Amino acid sequence: MQGPDFPLWTFIWNNYTQLITANLGIAFSLACFVYVRSFSIKPGNPDNRELAAGGYSGNIIYDWFIGRELNPRITLPFFGTIDIKAFCELRPGMLGWILLDLAFIAHQYKLYGYVSDSIILITVFQVLYVLDALWMEPAILTTMDITTDGFGFMLAFGDLAWLPFIYSLQTRYLVVYPVHLGLWGIVGVLAVQGLGYSIFRGANNEKNRFRTNPNDPKVVHLQYMETSSGSKLLISGWWGTARHINYLGDWIMAWSYCLPTGIAGYLIQHSSPAPIGTGQSPADGSFIGGAPIRTQVVQGEARGWGMLITYFYVIYFAILLIHREMRDEEKCMRKYGRDWDEYKKRVPWRILPGVY
């Protein structure tokens, strides 16, 4: 095999900016397509097409951004009917995220002749996250993105451009400045990932089992309160500790993607035996007087500043989850009314027990 020179890996690295531009263009075009097409929806149509509750405000820009149609679908030869929103939620962005990680691993090996434990660890965690999402794909049908939000530029941009290119920033950083964690560093990061995943998957599995079969032996012991609408809200187990405890697990896992980059930041220094002009050096790999130009990657004064990039994900994700939690609360308050007030008394914490 061609190893790090495999055409896919080299294409991704050499055309990184072009790929971002292309994905932005696709997201923009897709948002325009579904927006225009949404005006063909007629009441009582046989395809059960419908508009999103908040997607037809009358403001063209807002509706295009937030999405007018709830679940736009298209029918393609050989593929049949495809739900555009459900497809974009998991397929192109999630799989593109992993392809970028693998391309960055290949390029790190090409540059240094080895692959660092830090980049392997992050990639394994992120592959696990994506495979888990694909394996539990039916659960996505109950999420707010599918049941409530329309599909417009916000989700198209998030799925196709933001997710793969922002979520892989840590591995891209490690391509240029590899970090070696060592045994105890690996153990520490594994502990963070293990804690986050156990909360995330444990809480989601508990909820899905209870929704599917409340008599399942694994959840039959759980306490719940029944609402006037007939719904049952868990008040023990994972969901008795916080109303959105799964978000806590998701956020803890986000730390395991960032911590392997350490105190990030680097400078690229080019040195040569003789300068060719004031403040200039020839390109790396050229020669002056038979001596090669040397390139060094050091942290220097940049140490710490790179954390604005490598730890951006964990900050952004916290904001995203809190905003999503607030929207969840509003939706549940409308749905359950006074029952939700009672539920909040029994489960007072939102995400982090004892804090928020």
Side-chain angles (χ1 to χ4, degrees):
M1 298 297 290
Q2 301 176 47
D5 291 319
F6 183 65
L8 178 59
W9 310 141
T10 56
F11 178 84
I12 290 174
W13 181 263
N14 295 333
N15 297 279
Y16 184 75
T17 305
Q18 294 91 324
L19 287 172
I20 294 176
T21 305
N23 280 31
L24 285 170
I26 293 171
F28 180 85
S29 302
L30 189 57
C32 292
F33 169 74
V34 295
Y35 175 78
V36 172
R37 191 168 177 267
S38 69
F39 288 95
S40 65
I41 296 177
K42 304 298 181 184
N45 66 85
D47 297 323
N48 295 318
R49 296 173 63 198
E50 57 182 312
L51 298 177
Y56 50 101
S57 67
N59 184 309
I60 295 176
I61 300 300
Y62 177 82
D63 292 347
W64 169 81
F65 178 81
I66 208 70
R68 288 189 87 247
E69 188 169 356
L70 183 61
N71 292 102
R73 302 180 183 91
I74 56 173
T75 301
L76 299 175
F78 306 109
F79 295 99
T81 301
I82 296 175
D83 187 305
I84 297 175
K85 183 166 66 172
F87 174 80
C88 289
E89 280 283 308
L90 287 182
R91 296 298 189 274
M94 287 285 209
L95 297 179
W97 179 14
I98 300 309
L99 287 176
L100 286 168
D101 281 348
L102 295 176
F104 296 152
I105 287 177
H107 199 73
Q108 186 190 74
Y109 182 79
K110 186 175 182 178
L111 289 177
Y112 293 96
Y114 63 83
V115 177
S116 65
D117 51 12
S118 55
I119 200 171
I120 291 176
L121 212 55
I122 293 174
T123 301
V124 169
F125 292 160
Q126 294 178 347
V127 167
L128 172 65
Y129 188 86
V130 171
L131 291 179
D132 178 86
L134 293 172
W135 179 257
M136 302 298 295
E137 185 173 9
I140 197 177
L141 300 178
T142 64
T143 63
M144 181 179 289
D145 285 354
I146 298 295
T147 63
T148 306
D149 294 338
F151 184 78
F153 184 74
M154 181 180 73
L155 286 180
F157 167 77
D159 293 338
L160 303 179
W162 182 268
L163 189 157
F165 293 100
I166 295 297
Y167 289 18
S168 61
L169 283 175
Q170 297 85 12
T171 51
R172 193 173 197 280
Y173 167 83
L174 292 171
V175 170
V176 182
Y177 189 80
V179 173
H180 303 281
L181 299 173
L183 176 60
W184 292 112
I186 293 174
V187 170
V189 175
L190 283 172
V192 173
Q193 168 71 7
L195 174 63
Y197 186 76
S198 63
I199 296 174
F200 173 78
R201 182 44 52 208
N204 283 328
N205 280 347
E206 185 178 85
K207 179 177 65 176
N208 291 331
R209 286 194 183 101
F210 186 78
R211 281 179 173 175
T212 304
N213 179 16
N215 296 317
D216 187 309
K218 293 182 179 180
V219 297
V220 70
H221 64 283
L222 296 176
Q223 299 177 17
Y224 61 88
M225 63 169 281
E226 191 161 353
T227 67
S228 57
S229 65
S231 299
K232 298 175 181 179
L233 302 175
L234 289 171
I235 55 174
S236 67
W238 282 114
W239 299 93
T241 59
R243 301 194 294 274
H244 306 278
I245 189 67
N246 56 325
Y247 290 170
L248 175 62
D250 217 351
W251 189 63
I252 292 174
M253 284 194 292
W255 279 96
S256 69
Y257 307 158
C258 302
L259 288 172
T261 63
I263 303 177
Y266 62 76
L267 299 171
I268 299 178
Q269 298 178 339
H270 299 287
S271 59
S272 60
I276 61 173
T278 304
Q280 296 180 341
S281 290
D284 186 49
S286 59
F287 291 82
I288 291 182
I293 304 306
R294 185 184 180 195
T295 297
Q296 286 183 305
V297 181
V298 298
Q299 288 202 291
E301 296 180 355
R303 188 172 189 267
W305 287 102
M307 296 174 73
L308 296 172
I309 301 298
T310 60
Y311 286 80
F312 170 78
Y313 174 72
V314 78
I315 297 171
Y316 150 76
F317 206 50
I319 296 171
L320 173 73
L321 292 175
I322 291 173
H323 179 259
R324 182 180 290 268
E325 173 269 329
M326 290 177 174
R327 293 177 62 204
D328 285 342
E329 290 282 319
E330 290 177 3
K331 183 184 74 171
C332 290
M333 190 64 200
R334 289 194 302 268
K335 181 178 181 180
Y336 300 117
R338 292 181 180 178
D339 289 327
W340 190 251
D341 289 327
E342 177 62 26
Y343 175 67
K344 289 194 292 184
K345 293 178 182 178
R346 300 194 187 189
V347 186
W349 301 109
R350 292 171 175 253
I351 297 177
L352 181 59
V355 178
Y356 176 76

